[in-house]
Amino acid sequence: MADLTPIPLPILVNRMFRELEAKKSAFHLPRFKFAKAAAGRDLSTSIFGRRAATPFGPAAGPHTQLAQNIVLSWLAGGRVIELKTVQVLDHLEIARPCIDMETVGFNIEWSQELSLEQSLEEYVKAMMLIEMAKASGLAPGLDDTVIDMSVGYDLAGIRSDKVRAFIAGMKDASAVIEQLRPQIPDAYAHFREQAYPTCISDNVTVSTFHGCPPGEIEAIAAHLMAEEGLDVVVKLNPTLLGKTDLNAILHDSLGYADLVVPDATFEKDAKWEDVRGIVGRLGELADKVGRGFGVKFSNTLLVHNHKQFFPTGTGEMYLSGPPLHVLAIELVARFRAEFGDRFPISFSAGIDVGNFADTVALGLKPVSVCTDLLKGAGYGKGTDYIADLADRLAEVEATDLDIYTLKAFGLAEAALGDLKIAAERKVALTTTLTTGANLRETAGPDFEAWVSAARLRNTAHYAARVRTDRRYSRPEVDHPPRRTGVLLALLDCETCGKCVNICPNDAIFRYPLPQEPVVTATLSPGSTVIVGETQAVTRAQQIGIFADVCNRCGNCDVTCPETGGPFARKVNLFGSPASLDDAPDRDGLAIERTATGLRSHVRDNGERFTIDDDGVRLVCRGDGLDLSIDPAAPEAVSGTADRPTDIGRMILFARIARAVTAPTIVTYANAAFD
């Protein structure tokens, strides 16, 4: 497995603010893609009494594990950040590749890839960077942010000292903040004096395994509310629909006949009657202990692996994307038919720009996204979500989300009919719908009940609509990305930038490389240099991988027009010699600045060596290797090598090292330089 190496806070601070100054972007997200407040429209929502400036955010997953991911989500408009699920087993081996977004969405990734201590520090770093961004005026009018923990996967693990320490650190992060504060670089020393919130989060979503016993789910939620003092959301599974109804939607209505849920999953997962009892009892407990309780739709759907993308032996995978949206909305409708609007519902299933505003109109909060951010413009889509929601409010002349809920589907009058108020009162309120009067003020004490009734009406209306909406069907979705069949090389590709946009970890970057030919020169053990044909560099921009935060998830391979995978075929840049040494199966280089220039620690075809570059000559040293090379005249090499040595490739690595650390660009490599 490719291990993640979190990027130190000083490098993240340098990277964010240097890039803003030099490129008007942060972590590759252009400033014009930062979310903006909508004039005259309040898009805020409340999460257990905490204000979030928008209902949008990243779902627990690959976008919420590392500090830079979380900051990117925030800059794009995410104001409810659902952190990646953590558990007591924090040194897992997760198979690679693990994310397949070719058409719908499949993954085999189910837990954090960092230790609990690393996860806590990443979340605190993210919060501090967000506070720095706020102080720098990067999102005026959209300050309020809610961060939601996610823990799993059984009660014993959650009760362990390690997980309880993590939860305690999230509720009071003052020790970690004080540890990180002096690490803020001198150039940004004013942020050392800034006040940072010490409570990162005191609300949590419970994530459990597919097949987790109902009693275990209830016990976990009860423990988190009563013993940890947290507001709790329980994530529920699509299999609640039952085998017959689920397959009728998935196979018959949507056309995904090849997606088969194992019978054992239906047998093991909680049934509707289980959930009915669990929700009722947990609601009563929440009232008793003074905490909030809600549910989330939905977890991913476990299906048989019928594809060849994941490693051999992967028998099952988790479905996300468009078909899951229809299944989850059906569950929301059934849940509300049972419980009304008593419990808040969090939603994440197949959300995209085309259905986000509709889903918000159901009163779901937050409405979070994962699959769609792994495609196309990636994080850059966030501002489109916010802008489209603001436009929808404007279309119905709504000033906030509650008014929008009343007006979004034209069901406000029907919702009035569901209220137990006097007939003349209903007539008066109906009149306000056409006069343009302030609905909140006019309805007064009846407003909340009216909005609640509209949520139920909207839910039934929208669920009926998506059941027959072709946009979620296989013929509409089954369109893989374009592939050329060309094998990726170290240099030169289409340089389309698709891989840069969709990498959840901000691990992929462009860098300019002078279009000078690449020398082909081989030194034989007899000190004879054979100079061959030169290779042209045809592209002004090249693609690189920052290996410390590349976990080889495979998403860039699916999106890339060419074959082989950028993560495997492009130059891998490591943050330090230590991280290079910790990845013996990956070629690449780590760059240090020296008194005379640059030193590159290189692994190429498994061979480890260093290149010292003083701007005139290269000194290359390794096992059985000690050479001095003039890049302008490689045939004049001096020194010794006990094997045939590709001098041209050494010259190329030195060129790349200079390119990725050039002062004209901002990368994680030169952000490490003072």
Side-chain angles (χ1 to χ4, degrees):
M1 186 179 93
D3 292 327
L4 293 174
T5 303
I7 298 171
L9 180 63
I11 296 177
L12 291 171
V13 174
N14 280 338
R15 165 75 192 275
M16 184 166 79
F17 287 105
R18 287 179 185 175
E19 187 179 340
L20 277 166
E21 182 178 357
K23 300 293 183 183
K24 293 184 172 57
S25 62
F27 303 115
H28 293 120
L29 184 68
R31 186 157 186 168
F32 69 83
K33 282 290 189 180
F34 294 2
K36 301 173 183 66
R41 314 288 168 195
D42 180 3
L43 304 184
S44 69
T45 191
S46 176
I47 308 295
F48 297 123
R50 305 167 186 83
R51 185 180 187 274
T54 78
F56 167 71
H63 299 99
T64 57
Q65 180 168 217
L66 297 170
Q68 68 273 16
N69 309 17
I70 296 167
V71 175
L72 272 164
S73 299
W74 187 87
L75 290 170
R79 292 301 181 268
V80 185
I81 310 292
E82 299 177 346
L83 300 176
K84 191 162 187 181
T85 304
V86 300
Q87 60 153 323
V88 67
L89 301 176
D90 56 358
H91 289 84
L92 297 170
E93 289 290 327
I94 296 175
R96 305 294 179 196
C98 60
I99 296 176
D100 174 10
M101 294 292 142
E102 185 179 41
T103 53
V104 291
F106 299 108
N107 75 87
I108 56 172
E109 182 181 70
W110 51 275
S111 189
Q112 91 271 24
E113 299 164 73
L114 304 175
S115 70
L116 283 161
E117 295 79 12
Q118 287 176 314
S119 292
L120 175 60
E121 185 168 310
E122 284 302 288
Y123 300 153
V124 176
K125 283 156 56 177
M127 177 276 298
M128 294 177 73
L129 287 163
I130 287 170
E131 292 300 314
M132 294 177 202
K134 290 181 190 177
S136 303
L138 297 187
L142 294 175
D143 285 357
D144 293 322
T145 305
V146 175
I147 295 178
D148 181 59
M149 284 184 274
S150 179
V151 300
Y153 285 94
D154 57 29
L155 182 59
I158 290 170
R159 279 179 166 166
S160 69
D161 290 343
K162 287 174 67 173
V163 175
R164 298 195 76 169
F166 169 82
I167 293 172
M170 291 293 287
K171 292 194 292 184
D172 181 6
S174 52
V176 182
I177 292 169
E178 295 313 309
Q179 171 191 329
L180 293 171
R181 193 186 295 273
Q183 297 179 22
I184 297 171
D186 290 344
Y188 309 100
H190 56 287
F191 290 127
R192 295 175 188 162
E193 308 305 317
Q194 184 162 317
Y196 296 100
T198 56
C199 179
I200 308 301
S201 177
D202 57 2
N203 49 281
V204 64
T205 295
V206 175
S207 183
T208 57
F209 283 124
H210 293 271
C212 183
E216 183 87 350
I217 297 171
E218 184 174 358
I220 292 170
H223 165 77
L224 292 169
M225 280 193 283
E227 302 299 325
E228 298 290 356
L230 301 172
D231 297 322
V232 174
V233 168
V234 173
K235 186 190 299 184
L236 298 172
N237 290 334
T239 48
L240 278 175
L241 290 171
K243 180 178 179 179
T244 299
D245 288 353
L246 187 149
N247 285 339
I249 295 172
L250 188 64
H251 298 166
D252 303 338
S253 297
L254 300 178
Y256 296 96
D258 57 342
L259 299 183
V260 178
V261 180
D263 287 341
T265 301
F266 289 106
E267 294 166 5
K268 294 177 182 178
D269 278 359
K271 311 299 187 293
W272 193 260
E273 54 270 24
D274 299 320
V275 169
R276 182 186 295 119
I278 290 170
V279 169
R281 289 187 295 271
L282 289 175
E284 292 173 1
L285 176 62
D287 292 340
K288 179 180 177 180
V289 299
R291 303 309 311 181
F293 170 71
V295 297
K296 178 173 183 175
F297 294 108
S298 81
N299 206 343
T300 51
L301 179 64
L302 185 71
V303 297
H304 285 301
N305 177 23
H306 64 285
K307 302 184 69 177
Q308 304 300 315
F309 181 78
F310 297 122
T312 301
T314 303
E316 297 169 336
M317 56 188 179
Y318 304 113
L319 167 72
S320 62
L324 190 64
H325 184 77
V326 182
L327 298 172
I329 287 294
E330 181 67 21
L331 279 172
V332 172
R334 294 188 185 189
F335 185 86
R336 281 187 162 163
E338 176 95 21
F339 293 101
D341 192 32
R342 178 184 171 190
F343 299 105
I345 300 176
S346 167
F347 190 87
S348 179
I351 290 295
D352 56 34
V353 177
N355 60 28
F356 173 69
D358 282 341
T359 311
V360 170
L362 311 189
L364 307 180
K365 54 183 186 180
V367 177
S368 57
V369 186
C370 180
T371 298
D372 195 43
L373 298 183
L374 291 166
K375 299 181 177 184
Y379 291 101
K381 293 180 179 180
T383 188
D384 299 329
Y385 282 81
I386 304 305
D388 185 68
L389 179 60
D391 288 346
R392 288 285 298 277
L393 264 70
E395 288 173 10
V396 296
E397 298 181 335
T399 54
D400 60 47
L401 294 186
D402 283 343
I403 302 293
Y404 172 63
T405 294
L406 287 172
K407 293 184 170 185
F409 298 134
L411 298 174
E413 185 174 350
L416 274 176
D418 300 329
L419 302 186
K420 295 179 180 179
I421 59 176
E424 59 271 21
R425 177 72 168 149
K426 292 182 181 180
V427 171
L429 291 177
T430 300
T431 302
T432 64
L433 291 170
T434 58
T435 62
N438 186 306
L439 298 184
R440 188 184 300 275
E441 291 180 1
T442 305
D446 298 318
F447 182 76
E448 288 189 13
W450 192 9
V451 173
S452 183
R455 289 173 185 149
L456 302 183
R457 287 273 180 174
N458 290 355
T459 299
H461 169 83
Y462 184 66
R465 196 177 85 193
V466 299
R467 286 184 202 118
T468 57
D469 192 336
R470 281 187 55 82
R471 74 185 293 261
Y472 301 104
S473 68
R474 180 162 191 160
E476 297 297 318
V477 175
D478 199 10
H479 300 289
R482 176 182 65 88
R483 302 304 290 260
T484 64
V486 174
L487 182 65
L488 278 173
L490 185 71
L491 298 181
D492 289 343
C493 59
E494 290 196 14
T495 324
C496 58
K498 292 178 180 178
C499 57
V500 177
N501 294 336
I502 55 83
C503 177
N505 293 350
D506 185 42
I508 307 180
F509 61 96
R510 291 186 183 92
Y511 65 95
L513 187 70
Q515 291 175 274
E516 303 166 4
V518 175
V519 175
T520 302
T522 303
L523 174 67
S524 68
S527 299
T528 300
V529 177
I530 302 172
V531 178
E533 294 183 1
T534 59
Q535 174 189 341
V537 176
T538 63
R539 300 280 183 171
Q541 294 281 322
Q542 303 294 334
I543 296 293
I545 311 294
F546 191 68
D548 285 18
V549 292
C550 171
N551 56 4
R552 297 193 166 193
C553 70
N555 196 39
C556 61
D557 185 18
V558 174
T559 303
C560 181
E562 300 176 40
T563 61
F567 70 89
R569 305 287 297 178
K570 295 299 181 180
V571 66
N572 276 231
L573 178 65
F574 290 82
S576 68
S579 63
L580 176 65
D581 289 338
D582 287 341
D585 61 330
R586 301 178 76 170
D587 286 349
L589 65 157
I591 306 164
E592 296 178 311
R593 193 162 62 181
T594 66
T596 57
L598 296 176
R599 173 173 295 156
S600 297
H601 300 260
V602 182
R603 183 183 297 110
D604 187 33
N605 292 319
E607 181 183 349
R608 188 76 157 75
F609 55 91
T610 61
I611 303 173
D612 282 283
D613 181 0
D614 63 5
V616 178
R617 296 189 70 84
L618 308 178
V619 176
C620 305
R621 293 189 176 97
D623 186 19
L625 182 71
D626 190 351
L627 299 173
S628 177
I629 303 168
D630 180 354
E635 67 280 1
V637 63
S638 61
T640 58
D642 62 4
R643 58 195 175 278
T645 302
D646 190 340
I647 295 174
R649 198 160 170 86
M650 293 178 172
I651 294 171
L652 176 59
F653 281 130
R655 284 177 60 187
I656 291 173
R658 288 194 296 271
V660 300
T661 58
T664 53
I665 66 169
V666 181
T667 66
Y668 287 120
N670 58 19
F673 298 163
D674 294 333

